[in-house]
Amino acid sequence: MTTDIPTMRRSGWSLLRRRETPLDLPTRIAVALVVLVLGLLIVLPLINILSSAASADGLKVFASMFTSGVNLQIVQNTVVLGVLVGVIGTAIGFLFAYVQVRLDFRGKKLLHLLALLPIVSPPFAVATAVITLFGRSGIVSHELLGLSPTLYGLPGLTIVLSLSFFPAAYMNMLGLLRSLDPSLDEAAASIGASKWRIFRTVTLPMLVPGFASSFLLLFVEAIADLANPLVIGGDFTVLSSRAYIAITGEYNVGAGAAYSIVLLLPALAVFLVQRYWAGRKNVVSVTGKPAGRPDTVTFLPARILLLTGVGLIALLIVTIYATVVLGGFVKILGINNAFDLSHYRYVLSGIGSDAMITTTTLALIATPIAGVLGLVVAWLIVRKLRSGQGALDFLGMLGLAVPGTVLGIGYALTFNSPLGFGNVALLPALAGGGAVFGGAVAIVMVYVIRSSPSGQRAGVASLQQIDMAIDEASASLGASGMTTFRKVTLPLIRPALLAGLTYAFARSMTTLSPIIFITTPQTKIMTSQILSEVDAGRFGNAFAYCTILIVIVMSVIGLLNLFVRDSSVPRGAAGLSSSTTLE
Amino acid sequence: MKRIPALVGATAMSLLLLTGCAVTPTADDSEQPDELGGSITIACGAMEDWCQAMTSAFTAETGVKADFVRLSSGETVARLDAARDAPEFDVWHGGPVDGFGAARDAGLLEAYESPNAAAIPEKYRDPDHYWTGVYVGALGFCSNQRVLDELGVDVPTSWDDLLDPRLKGQVSTAHPSTSGTAFTTLWTQVTRLGGEDEGLEFMKKMHNNVLQYSKSGTAPGQIAGRGEVAVGIVFSHDCVKYQEEGLSDLVVSFPKEGTGYEIGGVALVKGSKNKPAAQAYIDWALTAEAQSIGPTVGSYQVLTNPDAVRDERMVSLDEVKFVDYDFVAAAAAKPELTARFDAEIAAQPKE
């Protein structure tokens, strides 16, 4: 799905160039406002982190990055982890997508939902369950098989991150496989090619851009992750966990900023490559919309092989989430399996319930803001701007391209003290315990900037499918730009809006890396509470938290779907599925 | 650049000494406890349920709303330092006083001599009243008997037992940058072996056997309890707590060469926005009643108030051999030593 956007966008933009009416005032105000908001939410924190990294402490880290063996090792570890997760996660994602599109079997729908489960779950659910199941004294590894594998470090991180991030690759490949034109397969078959040969010489080459973009997406997600390296990193230090120790342990912000800048550069590069280069090498759109249904795999050995592979991974995912749910209801899973409600009592009383209410409230505040912001940006890009669309698009997407750790440090640097020029304070401190609303504003801001890109993507994609003539008809009847947007465009893009909103909410509820640097005593956030439970080894409490978090996210998504239900939305297309590719 | 915090600290300290006399009289204004109000926030360095029990008991007693955040020592100092001008916290309660000393040196604490401090033995008090001890804990080994049996290793009774090649990847300890417990471990080696280089040398040898340096100091007890490693280095009372919570394979032992100990402190954060209530909290934390809450939530530290309850699950301080732990020197050496640990050991590859 991601890959066919640029083509549409080009045609959309060239269409715009023919319009020569000047920008109306509301549009100009909207552009100014959006740029101001994005500047505050993302540009300013980035500038601050850059200048902090340029401090003496930071420069020392930069200098040692290629001279000190320790730092070289950290960089190397980060790259190795990113590559492994990119390859394995893409492979799993492709396998799931291929089976989904090209195989007929019962339980397809279930498999689809299963593949999306990791998106709605908090970052440590998988890590803690994997240790409980496959650790040195794990239920499966030790009790059943008598093994004591060491998961801490690269092996554990690879498994956990691949399982956590593969849904992004899955959605990407799913969209791509669905849009492949089956007539190409038929043509190859008609000149006598075997199915395997068709797969190898026709299907695979067309999927190369999809593989590339999935790999890059997962690479960035993996190197940016902070939660898992803290929990099961072992002695395998990566840039994000090094930056975290520098800031929280040594209070060396300059060094922390420097480590995270090293993280920022590849992430930005990959983002640019993925959006503006890989996207253009598009073989799919040449043939336009697919005609007919793709051929299904019927060759029995291939079916068995594919289904077994997917089945095993699906079983693994089911086992992991069963462990999470079960683990909250027993004393200590794997050691003392007596039924016990004390974890839920602990989590539901006192700070636990505070965290739940605060997190849900803040995410619910942020979600519509993010949705509107993303949509307005998309609307400006597709419909209003005649120049600078690319720049605005990039600015809007920056919140997703910047690794969470970098964003969090940037926010702590920028918003912990009042903002202003010289002695004139323009804004009070927004982050930290001494800030207004106990620092909640900064957390909402992080949620917004992390989530609005998905609204923007969804908005751009759907706006491009709506004919410009509809807008022009509205304008010719005397409606202003605002009225047209409100009365004509908005109803048409409601499904995309919904998709953006649901995704934004799920993302906000489960994010940790940027939040951990700006939580305050007054605003307790569930993911950071889970981290402290996991770090102190109280897995039962962590499992209970994770289960509740998953339930909250799913309920809110369900409610959103009910509220903004639209008969034009195809079954299953609403909600997460249509926007997860934007990861 | 490492020197700048120290410089700032020294400057702040000297300023503090000047203002110290001026501050004490205002403290006397808050003698009427019924005028307390508002809310305070505690940076809590002990177990989460201990923190919760303490703050809610204080609220019940005084009506002052008390929030807490559970933070390890390094994190507390970092966060106090980050919000120097507008502190997020009013009181720091729990956690080894090495960290309190580091915070004091950085000018983040304010001296407060509680009227109730007289009841606490002098060895558990800062002579300059920056912190007062509320409990004492002994550093020990928290081993998983089942894992040890599988490896064919005896319960460790000496620091050198931890260097056994059969324990490769089987020792768990925290990171001294973030954890006060782990810093106590590190300083114990420095004291025991007679110098920072020698202490780091030991940690370097042990590094080969360490699985992961966790963020929080109590985590190694749990990691050992679940059988992920054979031995965790934690304060013995944490190990007892985990045993009681159902990790029944755990056994406590102490090194025969002598071990380190912690004094868990309570201190007033400089610049507290609700000083009367914060001081009332400190006064209360030193009472026998407040300290006796610990054992009710499974925290079996030895309590500093002689009138507080005793429990047979508490370690008997006479039966464990201790090194001569110098808290002032430890606090002064902390920033430099943890930085060295991080550069020379934590990130180094294993042999």
Side-chain angles (χ1 to χ4, degrees):
Chain A
M1 182 175 155
T2 320
T3 39
D4 48 18
I5 289 171
T7 342
M8 289 194 286
R9 187 182 53 210
R10 274 203 300 277
S11 57
W13 285 351
S14 55
L15 202 74
L16 282 168
R17 267 179 225 115
R18 269 177 261 136
R19 280 165 41 99
E20 288 302 335
T21 44
L23 292 179
D24 54 8
L25 188 66
T27 309
R28 272 187 243 167
I29 295 174
V31 172
L33 270 177
V34 161
V35 170
L36 185 73
V37 167
L38 289 176
L40 186 69
L41 290 184
I42 184 78
V43 180
L44 202 58
L46 281 181
I47 291 174
N48 273 309
I49 202 166
L50 280 170
S51 66
S52 177
S55 69
D57 275 339
L59 290 176
K60 213 164 74 188
V61 170
F62 280 129
S64 68
M65 199 55 82
F66 300 99
T67 53
S68 134
V70 176
N71 280 340
L72 268 179
Q73 186 65 45
I74 292 174
V75 173
Q76 191 191 326
N77 285 351
T78 311
V79 172
V80 168
L81 180 66
V83 169
L84 276 176
V85 172
V87 169
I88 296 174
T90 304
I92 300 177
F94 172 69
L95 190 63
F96 269 67
Y98 192 77
V99 164
Q100 190 73 32
V101 176
R102 292 296 179 91
L103 250 70
D104 276 329
F105 61 98
R106 274 188 298 169
K108 245 185 170 177
K109 190 95 197 158
L110 193 68
L111 192 71
H112 176 70
L113 290 177
L114 209 57
L116 296 180
L117 196 54
I119 297 172
V120 297
S121 73
F124 331 84
V126 178
T128 38
V130 162
I131 295 175
T132 311
L133 288 169
F134 306 109
R136 281 182 177 165
S137 299
I139 298 170
V140 175
S141 51
H142 195 265
E143 314 265 300
L144 291 179
L145 305 172
L147 303 171
S148 294
T150 301
L151 284 179
Y152 290 80
L154 185 60
L157 276 177
T158 309
I159 297 172
V160 167
L161 292 180
S162 300
L163 284 176
S164 304
F165 297 140
F166 90 88
Y170 168 70
M171 290 310 300
N172 199 358
M173 300 307 290
L174 192 66
L176 194 54
L177 279 170
R178 283 205 172 127
S179 65
L180 283 185
D181 193 339
S183 58
L184 287 176
D185 284 19
E186 285 159 18
S190 71
I191 51 172
S194 71
K195 289 214 161 171
W196 170 241
R197 194 180 157 88
I198 294 173
F199 176 76
R200 211 165 34 85
T201 59
V202 179
T203 314
L204 265 188
M206 287 200 288
L207 293 177
V208 167
F211 280 122
S213 65
S214 298
F215 171 80
L216 294 175
L217 276 174
L218 297 200
F219 179 86
V220 171
E221 287 278 342
I223 63 170
D225 189 60
L226 171 64
N228 291 299
L230 283 181
V231 172
I232 56 163
D235 59 349
F236 191 83
T237 307
V238 292
L239 283 167
S240 59
S241 55
R242 187 64 193 81
Y244 180 79
I245 288 284
I247 289 193
T248 57
E250 298 158 9
Y251 195 59
N252 192 337
V253 180
Y259 282 113
S260 63
I261 291 293
V262 180
L263 201 60
L264 176 67
L265 295 179
L268 275 184
V270 159
F271 172 75
L272 286 172
V273 166
Q274 201 256 325
R275 296 262 306 118
Y276 301 102
W277 177 75
R280 218 168 279 169
K281 303 193 83 183
N282 192 339
V283 267
V284 181
S285 60
V286 178
T287 54
K289 292 238 171 200
R293 203 176 173 286
D295 203 8
T296 50
V297 178
T298 46
F299 182 52
L300 196 61
R303 271 182 68 93
I304 292 176
L305 201 69
L306 286 170
L307 284 178
T308 317
V310 168
L312 283 177
I313 299 169
L315 183 70
L316 182 62
I317 298 173
V318 170
T319 318
I320 284 173
Y321 284 95
T323 308
V324 172
V325 175
L326 194 67
F329 288 105
V330 299
K331 263 193 135 42
I332 299 168
L333 190 63
I335 292 171
N336 184 345
N337 295 329
F339 178 79
D340 179 51
L341 281 176
S342 63
H343 302 308
Y344 278 90
R345 261 200 300 277
Y346 179 84
V347 166
L348 289 172
S349 68
I351 36 170
S353 57
D354 281 356
M356 261 167 240
I357 294 167
T358 310
T359 314
T360 313
T361 313
L362 296 184
L364 280 176
I365 294 174
T367 302
I369 302 177
V372 169
L373 179 64
L375 214 59
V376 170
V377 172
W379 177 64
L380 290 174
I381 293 170
V382 179
R383 285 292 149 95
K384 288 293 167 185
L385 289 183
R386 285 190 301 279
S387 59
Q389 301 99 325
L392 187 61
D393 190 39
F394 177 75
L395 199 62
M397 293 303 287
L398 211 49
L400 201 56
V402 172
T405 317
V406 181
L407 193 66
I409 297 170
Y411 265 64
L413 285 172
T414 310
F415 298 112
N416 262 334
S417 45
L419 212 60
F421 296 103
N423 291 326
V424 193
L426 295 174
L427 274 176
L430 299 175
V436 285
F437 300 113
V441 179
I443 292 172
V444 170
M445 285 161 69
V446 164
Y447 284 168
V448 168
I449 200 64
R450 289 300 263 180
S451 313
S452 68
S454 48
Q456 182 184 332
R457 274 308 78 216
V460 165
S462 72
L463 276 173
Q464 277 160 346
Q465 284 163 358
I466 300 168
D467 200 317
M468 201 66 199
I470 301 179
D471 276 25
E472 279 158 7
S474 168
S476 71
L477 289 171
S480 70
M482 259 317 173
T483 315
T484 307
F485 179 71
R486 208 158 36 83
K487 293 239 170 114
V488 178
T489 320
L490 203 55
L492 284 170
I493 56 173
R494 205 159 61 164
L497 176 65
L498 174 64
L501 286 182
T502 18
Y503 185 66
F505 181 76
R507 175 126 201 160
S508 301
M509 289 294 287
T510 56
T511 192
L512 172 84
S513 337
I515 291 303
I516 192 165
F517 296 97
I518 51 172
T519 51
T520 68
Q522 292 84 20
T523 48
K524 295 193 162 67
I525 297 301
M526 280 180 89
T527 45
S528 93
Q529 291 294 322
I530 301 174
L531 175 65
S532 59
E533 294 298 324
V534 171
D535 190 64
R538 291 183 293 261
F539 282 16
N541 293 345
F543 286 140
Y545 262 126
C546 288
T547 309
I548 292 174
L549 184 49
I550 293 173
V551 169
I552 294 178
V553 173
M554 289 199 162
S555 326
V556 172
I557 289 178
L559 283 176
L560 265 175
N561 273 303
L562 272 182
F563 273 127
V564 204
R565 181 162 286 285
D566 189 312
S567 51
S568 69
V569 189
R571 197 165 42 93
L576 290 168
S577 47
S578 48
S579 60
T580 34
T581 46
L582 314 166
E583 264 274 4
Chain B
M1 188 66 191
K2 288 264 152 50
R3 285 175 208 291
I4 287 187
L7 258 174
V8 174
T11 328
M13 261 297 291
S14 42
L15 280 173
L16 213 84
L17 285 175
L18 290 174
T19 53
C21 339
V23 169
T24 334
T26 48
D28 294 340
D29 298 342
S30 59
E31 283 296 287
Q32 299 105 329
D34 46 337
E35 281 193 14
L36 290 176
S39 67
I40 52 171
T41 307
I42 320 288
C44 186
M47 287 277 186
E48 196 113 17
D49 39 10
W50 185 91
C51 305
Q52 185 140 25
M54 285 294 172
T55 46
S56 46
F58 175 71
T59 304
E61 177 98 7
T62 60
V64 176
K65 189 171 174 296
D67 285 321
F68 76 91
V69 183
R70 147 77 222 182
L71 289 170
S72 46
S73 299
E75 289 177 301
T76 309
V77 178
R79 288 186 67 154
L80 289 178
D81 202 4
R84 197 177 268 278
D85 304 326
E88 299 171 273
F89 300 101
D90 303 285
V91 176
W92 183 359
H93 193 194
V97 295
D98 318 38
F100 287 66
R104 165 212 159 132
D105 291 348
L108 302 168
L109 299 182
E110 183 171 326
Y112 170 58
E113 187 177 7
S114 165
N116 294 349
I120 311 293
E122 211 177 317
K123 59 182 170 178
Y124 300 139
R125 282 185 276 149
D126 178 31
D128 301 323
H129 315 297
Y130 280 93
W131 52 261
T132 315
V134 288
Y135 61 74
V136 182
L139 195 65
F141 303 141
C142 190
S143 311
N144 187 311
Q145 188 69 59
R146 183 182 59 74
V147 177
L148 284 178
D149 289 346
E150 281 172 20
L151 293 169
V153 180
D154 291 333
V155 174
T157 53
S158 149
W159 288 107
D160 289 333
D161 286 350
L162 301 182
L163 306 179
D164 189 331
R166 285 174 299 176
L167 288 178
K168 187 164 176 57
Q170 293 287 356
V171 176
S172 181
T173 179
H175 196 300
S177 285
T178 56
S179 152
T181 310
F183 184 74
T184 307
T185 310
L186 177 55
W187 190 255
T188 301
Q189 308 315 318
V190 172
T191 311
R192 178 173 79 86
L193 299 167
E196 293 193 5
D197 292 335
E198 291 82 354
L200 284 172
E201 190 55 39
F202 175 83
M203 298 300 278
K204 198 175 282 176
K205 281 190 209 141
M206 194 174 79
H207 178 63
N208 286 323
N209 282 352
V210 170
L211 176 69
Q212 168 167 9
Y213 296 101
S214 62
K215 188 161 74 77
S216 132
T218 58
Q222 276 269 2
I223 296 174
R226 263 182 290 119
E228 288 293 315
V229 294
V231 185
I233 306 173
V234 295
F235 287 115
S236 65
H237 52 257
D238 291 334
C239 197
V240 175
K241 181 174 165 65
Y242 289 139
Q243 277 171 340
E244 287 211 333
E245 285 176 358
L247 298 168
S248 46
D249 290 330
L250 290 176
V251 284
V252 178
S253 59
F254 295 97
K256 58 176 189 276
E257 302 97 322
T259 193
Y261 65 103
E262 66 164 335
I263 298 173
V266 63
L268 178 63
V269 172
K270 191 177 171 193
S272 157
K273 276 180 257 159
N274 193 352
K275 211 152 97 180
Q279 287 170 336
Y281 183 90
I282 294 171
D283 297 345
W284 174 80
L286 299 175
T287 61
E289 301 80 62
Q291 294 195 0
S292 302
I293 293 172
T296 65
V297 288
S299 287
Y300 302 111
Q301 293 97 328
V302 176
L303 302 169
T304 57
N305 190 313
D307 297 328
V309 292
R310 302 223 162 265
D311 189 297
E312 82 270 11
R313 283 164 292 198
M314 291 174 181
V315 62
S316 163
L317 295 179
D318 308 327
E319 286 165 23
V320 178
K321 187 179 173 202
F322 291 103
V323 297
D324 186 15
Y325 202 96
D326 184 340
F327 289 96
V328 177
K334 191 172 181 184
E336 205 67 40
L337 195 58
T338 51
R340 275 189 72 188
F341 175 87
D342 198 65
E344 295 172 28
I345 298 172
Q348 293 289 349
K350 288 167 188 174
E351 281 156 28

